[in-house]
Amino acid sequence: AQSVTQLGSHVSVSEGALVLLRCNYSSSVPPYLFWYVQYPNQGLQLLLKYTTGATLVKGINGFEAEFKKSETSFHLTKPSAHMSDAAEYFCAVSRSNFGNEKLTFGTGTRLTIIP
Amino acid sequence: DAGVTQSPTHLIKTRGQHVTLRCSPISGHKSVSWYQQVLGQGPQFIFQYYEKEERGRGNFPDRFSARQFPNYSSELNVNALLLGDSALYLCASSHAYQNQETQYFGPGTRLLVL
């Protein structure tokens, strides 16, 4: 089985401040890890993903995440928040073997940007 | 290029009724997956289809079924609707069915069961 825990259902940061959204995963096999963003009344858009190779992954809109196996974490960061970053963010995990389970999502973190 | 499209955008049904949701994948994508997103929660995996064959199934009752057509579009069917089926239903497409493939999501169909 696999699961994702996102600490903090709501996070508020000031414009220009560091964004840190936390994600911890559980997986019985090496995981594939994803971050998606969801704007109001829209579907999900991929920000970045880790499959193999370099553990620091850069994504769109200035976001990046680091896969830390020892901490079972895949936290999302952005050095300087922008008003347009306000959205819901979901961390997701899938298995690196051909399991029946596909993407398993966390419960999401709503990011608010304070002007 | 057109993204994943879903129809209808909104739907209101009553308990016990049946509903069919439709999805057209990105051109060239052969895999379609369905997810249910209840308000305030993350999406939950329902089905994945690839080349018209079921490649994965989540923990949903048999009231939920799906199929994929030769043009790779897909339908999700839900029978005997319950109030708890009210949710945003998301369709995602990808080139193939392997788990490292990026899934591209449509805008969803919002279903309200009264």
Side-chain angles (χ1 to χ4, degrees), chain B residues 90-108:
Chain B
L90 295 164
C91 173
S93 76
S94 56
H95 283 287
Y97 62 87
Q98 285 81 357
N99 289 349
Q100 70 266 39
E101 288 282 327
T102 296
Q103 295 193 34
Y104 297 85
F105 284 81

Side-chain angles (χ1 to χ4, degrees), chain A residues 91-104:
Chain A
C91 181
V93 62
S94 67
R95 298 162 63 97
S96 59
N97 61 359
F98 290 119
N100 190 51
E101 303 163 47
K102 299 304 174 179
L103 278 177
T104 298

Side-chain angles (χ1 to χ4, degrees), chain A residues 26 28 30 35 57 72 81 84 88 90 92 94 97 102 105 111 114:
Chain A
S26 172
S28 56
W35 274 99
V57 181
T72 62
S84 61
E88 186 103 26
F90 292 95
S94 67
N97 61 359
K102 299 304 174 179
F105 285 86
L111 177 64
I114 303 166

Side-chain angles (χ1 to χ4, degrees), chain B residues 58-105:
Chain B
N59 188 24
F60 279 80
D62 291 343
R63 299 184 295 108
F64 289 76
S65 63
R67 56 179 176 168
Q68 186 177 33
F69 299 99
N71 66 353
Y72 304 113
S73 67
S74 177
E75 283 182 354
L76 175 70
N77 294 284
V78 187
N79 292 324
L81 284 167
L82 303 174
L83 296 180
D85 295 331
S86 296
L88 179 68
Y89 288 84
L90 295 164
C91 173
S93 76
S94 56
H95 283 287
Y97 62 87
Q98 285 81 357
N99 289 349
Q100 70 266 39
E101 288 282 327
T102 296
Q103 295 193 34
Y104 297 85
F105 284 81

Side-chain angles (χ1 to χ4, degrees), chain A residues 8-105:
Chain A
S9 58
H10 291 84
V11 170
S12 296
V13 301
S14 297
E15 190 175 14
L18 171 72
V19 175
L20 171 61
L21 304 182
R22 300 178 186 274
C23 172
N24 288 88
Y25 70 90
S26 172
S27 177
S28 56
V29 299
Y32 296 139
L33 295 159
F34 305 78
W35 274 99
Y36 281 87
V37 61
Q38 187 176 34
Y39 297 101
N41 300 314
Q42 293 187 26
L44 282 74
Q45 180 183 11
L46 180 72
L47 283 174
L48 48 81
K49 69 177 182 181
Y50 168 79
T51 53
T52 58
T55 56
L56 181 62
V57 181
K58 295 187 184 298
I60 62 171
N61 301 339
F63 285 94
E64 63 182 38
E66 187 170 11
F67 169 58
K68 293 187 176 180
K69 183 179 177 181
S70 61
E71 299 177 8
T72 62
S73 69
F74 191 57
H75 302 329
L76 182 71
T77 60
K78 182 175 180 177
S80 177
H82 191 272
M83 295 300 295
S84 61
D85 294 328
E88 186 103 26
Y89 291 80
F90 292 95
C91 181
V93 62
S94 67
R95 298 162 63 97
S96 59
N97 61 359
F98 290 119
N100 190 51
E101 303 163 47
K102 299 304 174 179
L103 278 177
T104 298
F105 285 86

